[in-house]
């Protein structure tokens, strides 16, 4: 019934051939309903914008995550390059140093530090198989590191010169005064047995004397940081700071010169 | 076995870890804590063997006199036995107290050994403060370590079943 009424109205208006303007009733209805329509349109626009922004946000979030991942990856790559650069620099210094010493040498990597904290030693990744022997000296581009005190087939333990059980026969580079550098298990070593008449001043470089046949002669050991003349003592009280930074020890050089057993040394002499 | 491996891994990385943290003082003495835990859960023999084995291992890696750390960790075992007479190893408070006292005993023993047998032993002024810090840090972390070891045991049992 409703369908037929609608059909009749449509046929009548279609038959007139023109679009009739709103009459007073139509205008009234429009004036009343249009604000609602406007509100509905605004609401649907808002919902649409919200919906689109939401999806856009998801995209932004995804993009943000992707960019962050890319930045992280680039940072890692950059850090890897910097590390390679630093390693390259270290090896270059070591190579220059290696060329400057006459003895044959072997590079080794530090793989472990003393677990106790009371003694100063490191484990290196070269052992008997590579020709490492007891008492071989260990150095790096900055100076003397220590000596081999234990060795296995593939690894060796190196006692650092800052350990309190370590002693290195030394010379003051400028005045040729002799003394023995002993470790204190701290960042500072002592230079013992330097006579009070000896000329030693702050800033003097201490080098190995080459005696005892362990460390090659003339390698830097440390720099004098404090000199005191203690009354009543026979020798000067001298503090030296090692030239090697032991907290950043990564690659070292083993001087491949075997120490002669003392009996053979006597025979030669 | 897991605790043995963990303790050995700790010993291997401790030097580097201390360097990373910046000070030896803030690295807890996990070996002492583990010895106490093994004493509580696996008996005296297990604990004694653990102390002996780990002490030997530390001796191998360290630049000190051979046998010094074996003696020290055996003294740790003795200390745990002694202190567990006065404190309850089952309670967290007792665990912390025992481990603190045992590490103190260990340091006193270490000081005496070095003073007796090593003529060149030098103890800096920071030795006392470093020792006290390690005692405190290890004592405070002991109940947590015991809890973690318990959870580890649970996981192991779960995996085995």
């Amino acid at each position: 019934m409703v369908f037929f009424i609608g059909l009749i109205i449509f046929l009548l208006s279609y038959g007139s051939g023109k679009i009739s303007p709103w009459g007073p009733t139509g205008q009234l209805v429009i004036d009343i309903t249009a604000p609602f329509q406007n509100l509905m349109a605004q609401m649907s626009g808002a919902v649409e914008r919200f919906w689109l922004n939401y999806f856009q946000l998801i995209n932004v979030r995804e993009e943000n995550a992707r960019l962050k991942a890319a930045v992280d990856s680039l940072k890692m790559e950059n850090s890897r390059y910097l590390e390679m650069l630093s390693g390259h620099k270290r090896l270059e210094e070591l190579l220059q140093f290696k060329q400057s010493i006459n003895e044959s040498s072997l590079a080794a990597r530090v793989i472990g530090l003393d677990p106790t904290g009371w003694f100063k030693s490191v484990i290196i990744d070269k052992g008997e198989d590579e020709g490492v022997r007891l008492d071989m000296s260990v150095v790096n581009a900055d100076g003397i590191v220590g000596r081999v005190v234990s060795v296995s087939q593939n690894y060796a333990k190196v006692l650092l010169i800052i350990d309190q059980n370590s002693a290195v026969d030394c010379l003051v580079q400028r005045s040729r005064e002799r003394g023995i550098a002993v470790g204190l298990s701290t960042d500072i070593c002592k230079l013992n047995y330097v006579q009070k008449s000896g000329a030693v001043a702050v800033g003097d470089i201490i080098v190995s004397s080459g005696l005892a046949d362990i460390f090659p002669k003339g390698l830097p050991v440390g720099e004098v940081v404090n000199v005191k003349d203690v009354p009543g003592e026979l020798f000067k009280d001298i503090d030296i700071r090692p030239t090697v930074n032991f907290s950043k020890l990564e690659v070292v050089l083993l001087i491949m010169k075997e120490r002669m057993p003392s009996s053979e040394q006597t025979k030669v002499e | 076995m897991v605790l043995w491996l963990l303790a050995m891994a700790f010993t291997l990385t401790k030097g580097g870890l201390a360097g990373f943290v910046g000070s030896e003082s803030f690295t807890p003495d996990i070996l002492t804590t583990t010895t106490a835990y093994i004493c509580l859960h696996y008996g005296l023999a297990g604990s004694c063997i653990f102390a002996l084995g780990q002490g030997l291992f530390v001796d191998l890696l360290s630049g000190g006199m051979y046998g010094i750390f074996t003696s020290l960790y055996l003294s740790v075992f003795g200390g745990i036995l002694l202190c567990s007479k006065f404190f309850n190893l089952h309670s967290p408070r007792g665990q912390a107290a025992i481990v603190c006292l045992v590490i103190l005993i260990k340091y006193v023993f270490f000081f005496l050994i070095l003073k007796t047998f090593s003529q060149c032993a030098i103890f800096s002024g920071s030795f006392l403060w470093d020792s006290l810090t390690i005692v405190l840090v290890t004592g405070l972390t002991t109940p947590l370590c015991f809890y973690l070891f318990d959870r580890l045991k649970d996981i192991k049992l779960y995996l085995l079943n």
Side-chain angles (χ1 to χ4, degrees):
Chain A
M1 182 68 177
V2 175
F3 172 74
F4 281 112
I5 292 170
L7 189 65
I8 288 162
I9 291 169
F10 169 72
L11 288 173
L12 285 173
S13 61
Y14 184 75
S16 66
K18 58 175 182 179
I19 298 171
S20 58
W22 286 328
T25 317
Q27 284 176 8
L28 182 68
V29 170
I30 290 301
D31 282 342
I32 293 168
T33 55
F36 290 103
Q37 192 186 27
N38 189 20
L39 186 70
M40 292 295 287
Q42 282 180 5
M43 277 173 67
S44 73
V47 168
E48 190 183 349
R49 277 196 303 277
F50 174 75
W51 190 246
L52 288 175
N53 285 345
Y54 173 72
F55 276 108
Q56 208 170 356
L57 268 181
I58 287 178
N59 288 340
V60 166
R61 190 189 291 176
E62 281 172 358
E63 196 179 356
N64 195 23
R66 207 173 56 245
L67 288 174
K68 268 186 179 170
V71 167
D72 285 348
S73 160
L74 287 172
K75 267 185 184 170
M76 276 178 71
E77 205 171 332
N78 192 28
S79 149
R80 217 166 36 236
Y81 284 135
L82 285 174
E83 182 62 27
M84 277 167 70
L85 192 70
S86 141
H88 179 76
K89 205 175 156 188
R90 263 198 320 272
L91 289 174
E92 202 177 286
E93 282 172 4
L94 211 60
L95 191 67
Q96 278 174 6
F97 181 71
K98 191 177 173 175
Q99 282 163 354
S100 73
I101 51 173
N102 296 325
E103 320 279 349
S104 69
S105 54
L106 175 74
R109 208 159 53 86
V110 173
I111 56 162
L113 305 175
D114 194 296
T116 62
W118 290 318
F119 300 100
K120 301 292 175 186
S121 65
V122 293
I123 309 285
I124 55 171
D125 67 344
K126 294 285 186 290
E128 267 176 358
D129 284 358
E130 287 87 5
V132 179
R133 300 286 180 269
L134 277 179
D135 280 335
M136 277 185 169
S137 57
V138 181
V139 298
N140 76 359
D142 296 327
I144 291 181
V145 171
R147 67 187 169 93
V148 175
V149 289
S150 303
V151 62
S152 75
Q153 289 217 312
N154 298 303
Y155 301 97
K157 182 162 68 182
V158 177
L159 188 74
L160 305 180
I161 57 164
I162 52 169
D163 187 273
Q164 49 194 331
N165 294 310
S166 174
V168 184
D169 199 276
C170 294
L171 288 173
V172 178
Q173 198 174 43
R174 181 179 57 88
S175 62
R176 313 312 282 176
E177 293 293 338
R178 282 193 52 196
I180 292 179
V182 293
L184 302 172
S185 289
T186 61
D187 296 338
I188 298 292
C189 295
K190 284 270 180 205
L191 185 66
N192 290 343
Y193 310 119
V194 176
Q195 288 182 346
K196 280 199 167 175
S197 57
V200 183
V202 173
D204 275 347
I205 300 294
I206 308 297
V207 295
S208 56
S209 70
L211 292 176
D213 203 28
I214 295 179
F215 300 106
K217 189 177 179 179
L219 290 181
V221 173
E223 185 189 340
V224 176
V225 288
N226 190 21
V227 185
K228 272 191 284 187
D229 277 333
V230 183
E233 294 284 332
L234 276 175
F235 304 105
K236 281 180 184 288
D237 182 16
I238 302 171
D239 292 338
I240 58 173
R241 176 171 288 116
T243 46
V244 174
N245 184 350
F246 290 97
S247 62
K248 290 177 180 169
L249 213 52
E250 288 179 49
V251 184
V252 292
L253 271 185
L254 284 138
I255 308 285
M256 302 300 279
K257 183 186 168 193
E258 265 189 83
R259 191 187 179 193
M260 256 188 278
S262 52
S263 56
E264 281 183 34
Q265 268 185 334
T266 320
K267 274 182 209 170
V268 170
E269 282 159 13
Chain B
M1 193 55 156
V2 177
L3 288 176
W4 270 80
L5 291 176
L6 271 179
M8 287 170 84
F10 177 75
T11 304
L12 283 174
T13 52
K14 196 185 167 198
L17 189 72
F20 179 74
V21 172
S23 168
E24 189 71 31
S25 321
F26 297 107
T27 319
D29 189 347
I30 298 286
L31 289 189
T32 301
T33 308
T34 316
T35 311
Y37 181 84
I38 291 178
C39 189
L40 177 66
H41 291 279
Y42 298 94
L44 295 179
S47 177
C48 183
I49 293 168
F50 178 83
L52 181 73
Q54 295 295 331
L56 283 169
F57 187 57
V58 174
D59 266 333
L60 276 180
L61 296 172
S62 161
M65 296 175 288
Y66 275 113
I68 187 169
F69 291 100
T70 311
S71 318
L72 277 187
Y73 281 102
L74 284 175
S75 81
V76 161
F77 169 70
I80 291 168
L81 276 186
L82 182 73
C83 295
S84 56
K85 305 268 183 228
F86 305 103
F87 296 96
N88 182 9
L89 197 52
H90 289 89
S91 76
R93 205 174 294 175
Q95 290 157 7
I98 288 172
V99 168
C100 279
L101 281 172
V102 164
I103 297 175
L104 267 178
I105 292 171
K106 185 180 127 183
Y107 279 112
V108 171
F109 196 52
F110 175 73
F111 181 80
L112 291 176
I113 287 180
L114 277 195
K115 278 287 170 199
T116 314
F117 295 104
S118 176
Q119 290 175 344
C120 54
I122 299 155
F123 289 95
S124 61
S126 63
F127 175 76
L128 181 69
W129 299 115
D130 285 350
S131 310
L132 287 176
T133 314
I134 294 176
V135 167
L136 204 67
V137 169
T138 311
L140 289 173
T141 52
T142 294
L144 178 71
C145 287
F146 269 58
Y147 174 79
L148 291 175
F149 290 156
D150 279 342
R151 296 287 74 81
L152 201 67
K153 206 164 85 174
D154 292 345
I155 292 169
K156 193 180 141 194
L157 287 174
Y158 176 77
L159 289 174
L160 284 176
N161 291 328

